[in-house]
Amino acid sequence: MAKRPRIADVAAAAGVSTATVSMVLNGTGGRRIGAETSHRVRQAAESLGYRPNSVARGLRTRRTQMIGFIGDDVATTPFAGQMIRGAHDAAKDAGHLLLMTDTGGDPGEIAEAVEALQQRQTDGLVIATMYHQVVELPESAAALPHVLLNSRPARGGCSWTAPDEKGGSEAVLSELTALGHTRIAHLTTAEDVPAKHLRAETWRDLAGPEAADLYREVPSASTPHGYAGALELLRRADRPTAVFCFNDRMAMGLYRAAAELGLSLPDDLSVVSYDDQELIAPALHPGLTSAALPHYDMGRWAVEELLRRMSEPGAEPAGRLMPCPVARRDSTAPPA
Amino acid sequence: MAKRPRIADVAAAAGVSTATVSMVLNGTGGRRIGAETSHRVRQAAESLGYRPNSVARGLRTRRTQMIGFIGDDVATTPFAGQMIRGAHDAAKDAGHLLLMTDTGGDPGEIAEAVEALQQRQTDGLVIATMYHQVVELPESAAALPHVLLNSRPARGGCSWTAPDEKGGSEAVLSELTALGHTRIAHLTTAEDVPAKHLRAETWRDLAGPEAADLYREVPSASTPHGYAGALELLRRADRPTAVFCFNDRMAMGLYRAAAELGLSLPDDLSVVSYDDQELIAPALHPGLTSAALPHYDMGRWAVEELLRRMSEPGAEPAGRLMPCPVARRDSTAPPA
DNA sequence: CTGAAAGCGCTAACAA
DNA sequence: TTGTTAGCGCTTTCAG
């Protein structure tokens, strides 16, 4: 196995200087290279299997074709992996690779992560959170172009993308109202996160005052809590005809509660939800109608925006609410 | 915002040469540096906030402190993210970062990915698959130390780690036999993957010949197919007292089938399964006893092994079957 | 004990 | 139209 050829090897093989090789291979240097020379160089590079060493190139050009991806535990959350994939695909399309770090959820560690990535000369930073939230960035981050993924900046000044919770909630609620439901409950979590407030507000607006008492908060957005909350909601004499669950995990608890109470879905009760987790929403029976969190799209957008900002440094930072398309399944029907 | 200081800046500040700075900061050069000089250098570096530029260092030392991570769609699979996390954590502990690529499942793309990572001078490669399988590596991979994650090499010669499917199956089946079950069914998939065969063989060995007719294969390991298969298994007159499901998704289907047939878990039927997916196993009711796929541990081991092989290039490749601990919940009881 | 200098592989001025 | 040369920021002989 021969050693990797260097630019000097192809220069020698083509009988030109390394500068010429560099120029033809990079398409730089305008129209100053003769067609014949150019061809010979390409030929030589090809036959030697030459690949430029990007470390050396990076040292020279100060661009490494790597994007730093900082997560707050991103790899942990099942669906958040789609954010990585979206970011990865967009990066790859532009000839970049993702250099990953995880802070393990410790906001203090983010400055450290920025430092490590800066040291490696990543061209830019994507800072991702697994849940939609507001983040406070260390000022060291400002040294590099960066965009926030699945969260908003506390102090502005940088691009960000987050799910359009209001739009998704409206869409999923209108599945219910379009069928004629008027008594629509909301089963949600007590956790203080943007998603909770945005979904609840939208419900309040669309379900109207007559639904005001059909609101139930439980300590966490888990299946057991969803079950418990659903039980209370569904045992009432003036039981709702439909419920909008904060997320699929809670809806999974509600399915069980409904089954235990002898309610058949969707005839006795319609259900819609949020997140569209692939392990849950299509696996429940009947299939759960749910607004999808656009993780892949957000991931893609984040690095596309990053690349744009890298190429035009003067541009204004952009914020983008990503649409949450509803995955329609079989958990809704007209009220009985 | 000042520019990042270079080594020359700290050399100037400390009144020494850059060589000296390099030596004290890297602890290289043995005892040849005076304690006082050493202190002054550190002081200067500290106060300037100096961080060595790892691109420049990489060019010189040919080590980048980056490990290439090639996945076949890794970020896509919900639980496989834990492999990334394990790999990431081990890398971080050793001062390395993960440079990620995804082949999108196309085996042809793996050579391309190896090329891209090699060009970036990653110190080694982790090649991960989301499902336990046998992989054929392009020979270009041999140029770099590499280890297989969640799969075995077709031709040997490299280190690998995969789940101990037999051990996990035994453990989970013995939950059943210990309770006195003798009629234990196996509900599995027709897909031709190592996990399917290993789990089924173990079941055949432990459940004994009297269970031979309690075997049911369905086209895929999904919830709907699990439901359909379970229905057939549970409708039989000589219904099993327990079932070992290929995975949690199928078990989820079985739960529904049991409920529809009026069987109460675990009293009328015990269930154990495999994968221990966090969105499913603990969320079902009753909680599902399941053998966990040790994704995190495998990820960690893979990079630890990689680092070991990088430091002792002569060492023999190692293979490691990672234990699958059983997560005990409430889906088992003695036979009625 | 420390400094000078070479060079990792590449690109971009500047010459020719 | 092409070649020469000077670095990018660091580590590492080799002199002193």
Side-chain angles (χ1 to χ4, degrees):
Chain A
M1 171 71 78
K3 299 205 60 167
R4 281 178 84 87
R6 300 171 309 115
I7 196 172
D9 297 324
V10 2
V16 296
S17 76
T18 60
T20 304
V21 175
S22 172
M23 285 169 161
V24 340
L25 261 26
N26 294 311
T28 175
R31 284 284 61 75
R32 40 179 284 191
I33 307 290
E36 201 273 333
T37 317
S38 169
H39 182 235
R40 217 168 54 236
V41 167
R42 269 179 236 285
Q43 199 82 36
E46 172 74 18
S47 78
L48 291 176
Y50 170 72
R51 296 297 175 137
N53 175 323
S54 23
V55 176
R57 172 186 286 180
L59 180 58
R60 184 63 237 234
T61 60
R62 345 200 88 219
R63 313 202 66 242
T64 55
Q65 313 282 92
M66 297 190 305
I67 291 175
F69 188 103
I70 302 180
D72 68 337
D73 231 349
V74 162
T76 297
T77 334
F79 48 20
Q82 291 295 342
M83 290 198 291
I84 301 182
R85 213 165 69 89
H88 167 269
D89 288 357
K92 193 173 181 185
D93 288 350
H96 290 244
L97 250 36
L98 250 35
L99 193 57
M100 305 243 339
T101 351
D102 216 294
T103 63
D106 176 359
E109 263 196 44
I110 174 167
E112 220 173 284
V114 169
E115 190 44 63
L117 292 172
Q118 212 166 189
Q119 215 174 119
R120 260 115 178 160
Q121 304 262 81
T122 56
D123 297 337
L125 249 35
V126 169
I127 300 169
T129 53
M130 51 177 178
Y131 298 119
H132 180 175
Q133 60 194 251
V134 172
V135 326
E136 188 97 16
L137 286 182
E139 45 185 291
S140 59
L144 238 45
H146 58 283
V147 0
L148 253 39
L149 175 49
N150 205 21
S151 45
R152 300 150 187 253
R155 274 189 304 271
C158 85
S159 290
W160 56 269
T161 180
D164 180 9
E165 307 273 1
K166 254 182 114 44
S169 302
E170 280 169 19
V172 95
L173 279 163
S174 64
E175 293 288 317
L176 263 19
T177 52
L179 288 169
H181 288 276
T182 54
R183 295 191 51 75
I184 304 174
H186 188 37
L187 176 58
T188 189
T189 173
E191 292 156 299
D192 182 27
V193 292
K196 170 253 178 77
H197 298 297
L198 293 165
R199 295 175 195 178
E201 277 164 24
T202 311
W203 166 79
R204 234 182 301 275
D205 292 348
L206 268 71
E210 67 270 36
D213 59 328
L214 296 174
Y215 178 83
R216 185 88 186 91
E217 244 181 36
V218 291
S220 86
S222 66
T223 301
H225 281 139
Y227 167 73
L231 230 37
E232 295 186 30
L233 228 33
L234 301 180
R235 268 190 185 133
R236 309 164 46 143
D238 56 343
R239 163 160 68 69
T241 61
V243 9
F244 170 33
C245 293
F246 172 74
N247 72 4
D248 294 349
R249 278 149 67 217
M250 298 184 74
M252 186 172 173
L254 178 139
Y255 269 55
R256 174 157 86 93
E260 288 186 7
L261 296 176
L263 298 173
S264 145
L265 306 187
D267 300 322
D268 300 331
L269 183 74
S270 289
V271 187
V272 297
S273 166
Y274 221 108
D275 287 3
D276 190 32
Q277 296 210 59
E278 65 161 309
L279 249 25
I280 301 183
L284 289 172
H285 186 81
L288 176 61
T289 290
S290 188
L293 250 13
H295 284 124
Y296 183 86
D297 296 337
M298 292 193 301
R300 267 206 95 94
W301 187 89
V303 344
E304 281 162 0
E305 167 70 8
L306 182 63
L307 293 167
R308 182 167 52 245
R309 292 184 65 71
M310 279 161 39
S311 62
E312 22 179 315
E316 278 298 294
R320 172 106 153 109
L321 284 178
M322 198 63 70
C324 298
V326 359
R328 232 175 246 100
R329 299 201 178 81
D330 310 303
S331 59
T332 63
Chain B
M1 171 71 77
K3 300 205 61 165
R4 281 179 84 86
R6 300 169 309 114
I7 196 173
D9 298 324
V10 3
V16 296
S17 75
T18 60
T20 303
V21 174
S22 172
M23 285 167 162
V24 340
L25 261 25
N26 293 311
T28 175
R31 283 284 61 74
R32 40 178 285 191
I33 306 289
E36 202 272 332
T37 317
S38 169
H39 179 78
R40 217 169 55 236
V41 168
R42 269 180 235 285
Q43 200 82 37
E46 172 76 19
S47 79
L48 291 177
Y50 171 70
R51 297 294 177 141
N53 174 323
S54 24
V55 176
R57 171 185 287 179
L59 180 57
R60 182 66 233 237
T61 61
R62 345 200 86 218
R63 314 201 66 245
T64 54
Q65 313 281 90
M66 296 189 307
I67 290 175
F69 188 103
I70 301 180
D72 68 335
D73 230 351
V74 163
T76 297
T77 335
F79 50 18
Q82 291 294 342
M83 291 197 290
I84 301 181
R85 213 166 68 90
H88 167 269
D89 288 357
K92 193 173 180 183
D93 288 351
H96 290 245
L97 249 35
L98 250 35
L99 193 57
M100 306 243 336
T101 350
D102 217 293
T103 63
D106 176 0
E109 264 196 45
I110 174 167
E112 218 174 287
V114 169
E115 189 44 63
L117 292 171
Q118 212 167 187
Q119 212 175 122
R120 260 116 177 157
Q121 304 263 79
T122 57
D123 298 337
L125 250 35
V126 169
I127 300 169
T129 53
M130 50 176 179
Y131 299 120
H132 180 173
Q133 60 193 251
V134 172
V135 325
E136 188 98 16
L137 286 182
E139 45 185 290
S140 60
L144 238 45
H146 59 284
V147 358
L148 253 38
L149 174 48
N150 205 22
S151 47
R152 302 150 186 252
R155 274 187 306 269
C158 85
S159 291
W160 57 270
T161 179
D164 180 9
E165 308 272 0
K166 256 184 111 44
S169 301
E170 279 170 19
V172 96
L173 279 162
S174 64
E175 294 287 317
L176 262 19
T177 53
L179 288 168
H181 287 277
T182 54
R183 296 191 50 72
I184 303 174
H186 188 39
L187 177 57
T188 188
T189 172
E191 292 155 299
D192 182 26
V193 292
K196 172 254 178 80
H197 298 297
L198 292 165
R199 295 174 195 177
E201 278 164 22
T202 311
W203 166 79
R204 236 182 300 275
D205 292 348
L206 268 71
E210 67 270 35
D213 60 328
L214 295 173
Y215 178 83
R216 185 88 187 89
E217 243 180 37
V218 292
S220 86
S222 66
T223 302
H225 282 139
Y227 166 74
L231 229 38
E232 295 185 29
L233 229 32
L234 300 180
R235 268 188 185 137
R236 309 164 48 140
D238 57 343
R239 166 159 64 71
T241 61
V243 9
F244 170 34
C245 293
F246 172 73
N247 72 4
D248 295 349
R249 277 148 68 216
M250 297 185 74
M252 186 171 172
L254 179 139
Y255 268 55
R256 173 157 87 92
E260 288 186 6
L261 296 175
L263 298 173
S264 146
L265 305 188
D267 299 321
D268 301 332
L269 184 73
S270 289
V271 187
V272 297
S273 166
Y274 220 107
D275 287 4
D276 191 34
Q277 296 209 60
E278 66 161 311
L279 249 26
I280 300 182
L284 288 173
H285 184 84
L288 175 62
T289 291
S290 189
L293 250 12
H295 284 122
Y296 183 86
D297 296 336
M298 293 193 300
R300 266 207 96 92
W301 187 89
V303 343
E304 282 162 0
E305 167 70 7
L306 182 63
L307 293 167
R308 182 167 53 244
R309 291 183 64 71
M310 279 162 37
S311 61
E312 21 179 316
E316 277 299 294
R320 171 105 154 108
L321 284 179
M322 198 64 69
C324 299
V326 0
R328 232 175 244 101
R329 298 202 178 81
D330 310 303
S331 59
T332 64

